[in-house]
Amino acid sequence: MNEENTMPPNSYAAVLGLGHDVVDVGGFAAQLDQPGSRMRRLFSARELRQSAMRANAKHDDEAAHLAVRWAGKEAVLKAWCEALGERANPYTLDDFPWSEVEILDDSHSRPHVMLSAQCDAMLRESLCVLTSHEVKPARRERSVTNASISVDEKGSETFSEGSIVGDRVTAFDASLRWHISLSHDGTIASAVVILVCVGA
């Protein structure tokens, strides 16, 4: 079991955003091969290395592995934008830190999303999600504006999202988790990303 995705007892989770993107592998490969293309600069060194290694292991084109990672980056941006609701986007397409949003494989070849420290801080700030070291001890209670946590007679809790996507979200010891699925078949690369907020 992946400990990172294990829910602790007495915690809640809310889906903040969903993103999906599809990339034409042939068109993407043509962009990579264009003289003076900057496409490779939009990937981190780790992404380029992993893509080259997978292409070598599978005896196929590196472009397919980069294309599916590009779809992942685009899906991350879309999930982030959905989570913002009516709030302003912290980035535009021109200044989005593409190379700081990494789509990497773990030791079991499962993809995951890795943000740089600066990008992660911007994500939290834009969504108004706090971590335990950012919240004073006096605010240890769970607090999710426009959402509710009800407790029945037996002490069981029920979490209701309300309009959590459109409003401020604050939670003690909250963590943001990315879930990603990648696929490429023939000329099509696709990625689905979900952004989840987990709090205790």
Side-chain angles (χ1 to χ4, degrees):
M1 181 178 293
N2 188 345
E3 293 182 1
E4 182 179 326
N5 293 326
T6 301
M7 288 281 293
N10 301 318
S11 63
Y12 66 85
V15 174
L16 301 182
L18 169 67
H20 175 237
D21 195 67
V22 175
V23 173
D24 176 74
V25 175
F28 186 83
Q31 282 185 292
L32 283 175
D33 292 338
Q34 283 180 353
S37 172
R38 293 186 167 188
M39 286 301 295
R40 287 185 176 275
R41 298 182 189 178
L42 304 179
F43 295 92
S44 71
R46 293 191 294 184
E47 289 176 309
L48 292 170
R49 183 172 62 251
Q50 283 194 357
S51 296
M53 290 172 61
R54 287 185 71 84
N56 186 56
K58 292 179 173 285
H59 307 290
D60 59 6
D61 192 353
E62 178 191 22
H65 301 283
L66 288 174
V68 77
R69 292 172 198 272
W70 181 252
K73 290 171 183 280
E74 291 268 15
V76 166
L77 175 58
K78 290 175 180 179
W80 187 343
C81 288
E82 185 190 14
L84 286 169
E86 298 301 317
R87 291 183 292 271
N89 293 339
Y91 299 110
T92 66
L93 283 175
D94 293 329
D95 65 7
F96 189 74
W98 298 105
S99 63
E100 296 181 37
V101 177
E102 295 180 288
I103 310 300
L104 299 171
D105 298 329
D106 64 15
S107 59
H108 301 286
S109 297
R110 295 176 298 207
H112 62 280
V113 178
M114 290 285 295
L115 303 185
S116 68
Q118 182 177 356
C119 193
D120 184 66
M122 180 62 78
L123 173 69
R124 291 178 174 282
E125 181 181 342
S126 70
L127 297 179
C128 305
V129 175
L130 307 178
T131 58
S132 56
H133 69 275
E134 297 172 313
V135 182
K136 296 179 182 179
R139 296 184 60 195
R140 293 180 67 89
E141 74 279 0
R142 274 163 290 187
S143 173
V144 181
T145 301
N146 237 16
S148 63
I149 301 175
S150 57
V151 182
D152 63 20
E153 296 175 353
K154 297 180 180 179
S156 299
E157 296 180 340
T158 303
F159 178 75
S160 175
E161 287 187 25
S163 56
I164 193 169
V165 170
D167 293 304
R168 180 181 178 85
V169 180
T170 57
F172 176 75
D173 202 17
S175 64
L176 295 174
R177 298 183 184 179
W178 296 98
H179 299 269
I180 183 169
S181 177
L182 303 177
S183 180
H184 60 85
D185 185 14
T187 62
I188 299 297
S190 177
V192 176
V193 168
I194 299 175
L195 176 60
V196 176
C197 178
V198 178

